């Protein structure tokens, strides 16, 4: 188990190790990463690592948790000032894409977790979805979005953001392969097309197929 630092200096050192691990895991992958590479990146001694973490698996899980906490915070803070749920969706998605542009390790590390730490993968997505579900339930109670299963809607919305971000933030501008560097942001026309799709799906009122149109 990781050990909580007892001093401000210890907190800073632990933070340096987490940041170094994020860089190493994102650049060379979990299997080629090593504790030596992490400590060299952090510019600390090898023995210092074991004051805070028991091994590579533990610091990997902590990196996933740290990225998850930071991206959720960015999205929540961005949506806080929104006047309604649809505005909150816009603000939250913009914050998510901005975060992934600045921290492309989020995608690379979370996708590694599928194979090296399935529990960390489930934690990452479940924590995001749980907050989403509560937001949708509140919006339904206020009449801001149509009646729907909030759990299904939350997973669907997260999937939209995940893949749009992967295509237009992480991948190269042309072609399906990964680019050499992340795009600075989702193009505005792509963002607007995505949001029109989401807003139509969430908008309060009757669904797209009503009794009156079913037999037309």
């Amino acid at each position: 188990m990781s050990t909580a630092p007892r001093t401000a200096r210890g907190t800073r050192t632990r933070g340096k190790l987490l940041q170094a691990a994020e860089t190493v895991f994102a650049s060379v992958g979990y299997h080629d990463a090593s504790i030596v590479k992490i400590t060299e990146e952090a510019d600390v001694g090898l023995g210092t690592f074991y004051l805070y973490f028991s091994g590579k698996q533990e610091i990997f899980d902590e990196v996933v948790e740290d990225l998850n906490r930071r991206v959720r915070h960015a999205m929540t803070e961005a949506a806080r000032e929104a006047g309604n749920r649809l505005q909150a969706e816009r603000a939250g998605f913009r914050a998510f894409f901005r975060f992934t542009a600045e921290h492309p390790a989020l995608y690379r590390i979370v996708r590694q977790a599928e194979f090296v730490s399935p529990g960390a993968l489930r934690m990452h997505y479940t924590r995001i979805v749980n907050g989403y579900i509560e937001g949708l339930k509140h919006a339904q109670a206020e009449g801001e979005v149509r009646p729907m299963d909030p759990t299904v809607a939350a997973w669907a919305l997260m999937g939209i953001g995940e893949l749009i971000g992967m295509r237009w933030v992480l991948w190269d501008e042309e072609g399906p392969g990964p680019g050499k560097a992340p795009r600075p942001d989702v193009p505005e026309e792509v963002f607007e097309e995505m949001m029109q799709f989401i807003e139509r799906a969430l908008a309060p009122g009757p669904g797209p197929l009503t009794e009156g149109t079913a037999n037309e």
Side-chain angles (χ1 to χ4, degrees):
M1 291 181 61
S2 61
T3 302
R6 296 181 180 180
T7 65
R9 181 180 179 183
T11 299
R12 289 193 298 271
T13 300
R14 190 177 189 277
K16 286 175 62 178
L17 285 164
L18 282 172
Q19 182 59 55
E22 178 182 326
T23 300
V24 171
F25 288 133
S27 60
V28 304
Y30 180 85
H31 293 295
D32 288 332
S34 67
I35 294 171
V36 170
K37 288 179 180 177
I38 293 170
T39 54
E40 287 177 348
E41 178 71 25
D43 195 25
V44 302
L46 184 61
T48 301
F49 178 93
Y50 292 101
L51 295 176
Y52 303 101
F53 303 101
S54 61
K56 185 169 74 168
Q57 178 74 62
E58 184 175 41
I59 196 170
F60 179 86
D61 289 349
E62 291 256 3
V63 167
V64 174
E65 186 166 2
D66 183 59
L67 284 165
N68 174 268
R69 176 187 57 78
R70 287 154 57 198
V71 72
R72 286 187 296 113
H73 177 76
M75 295 168 67
T76 300
E77 287 299 303
R80 193 181 300 279
E81 301 301 320
N84 57 47
R85 186 65 206 183
L86 296 183
Q87 292 174 8
E89 292 294 333
R90 280 183 165 268
F93 274 113
R94 283 198 185 278
F96 174 76
F97 294 140
R98 189 178 309 117
F99 186 93
T100 55
E102 295 171 354
H103 305 88
L106 176 68
Y107 277 114
R108 296 176 180 133
I109 290 174
V110 167
R111 293 198 170 275
Q112 292 174 49
E114 180 181 358
F115 304 101
V116 303
S117 187
L121 179 80
R122 289 175 64 92
M123 176 279 298
H124 171 69
Y125 288 121
T126 301
R127 286 187 182 177
I128 293 175
V129 162
N130 286 345
Y132 226 139
I133 290 170
E134 292 307 310
L136 289 172
K137 285 180 177 178
H138 178 75
Q140 285 179 322
E142 296 294 318
E144 295 176 354
V145 301
R146 69 176 180 83
M148 67 185 80
D149 184 323
T151 300
V152 174
W155 282 100
L157 289 165
M158 185 173 64
I160 290 171
E162 180 89 353
L163 291 176
I164 292 289
M166 182 181 298
R167 170 60 183 86
W168 276 280
V169 175
L170 189 65
W171 286 6
D172 200 0
E173 183 171 358
E174 296 182 1
K180 295 181 180 179
R183 295 282 302 278
D185 207 345
V186 170
E188 190 63 21
E189 65 274 15
V190 174
F191 183 84
E192 285 301 326
E193 189 71 27
M194 180 196 75
M195 287 310 309
Q196 288 179 32
F197 181 86
I198 291 170
E199 288 166 1
R200 286 194 294 267
L202 296 182
L209 184 64
T210 66
E211 185 176 351
T213 61
N215 296 318
E216 291 181 0

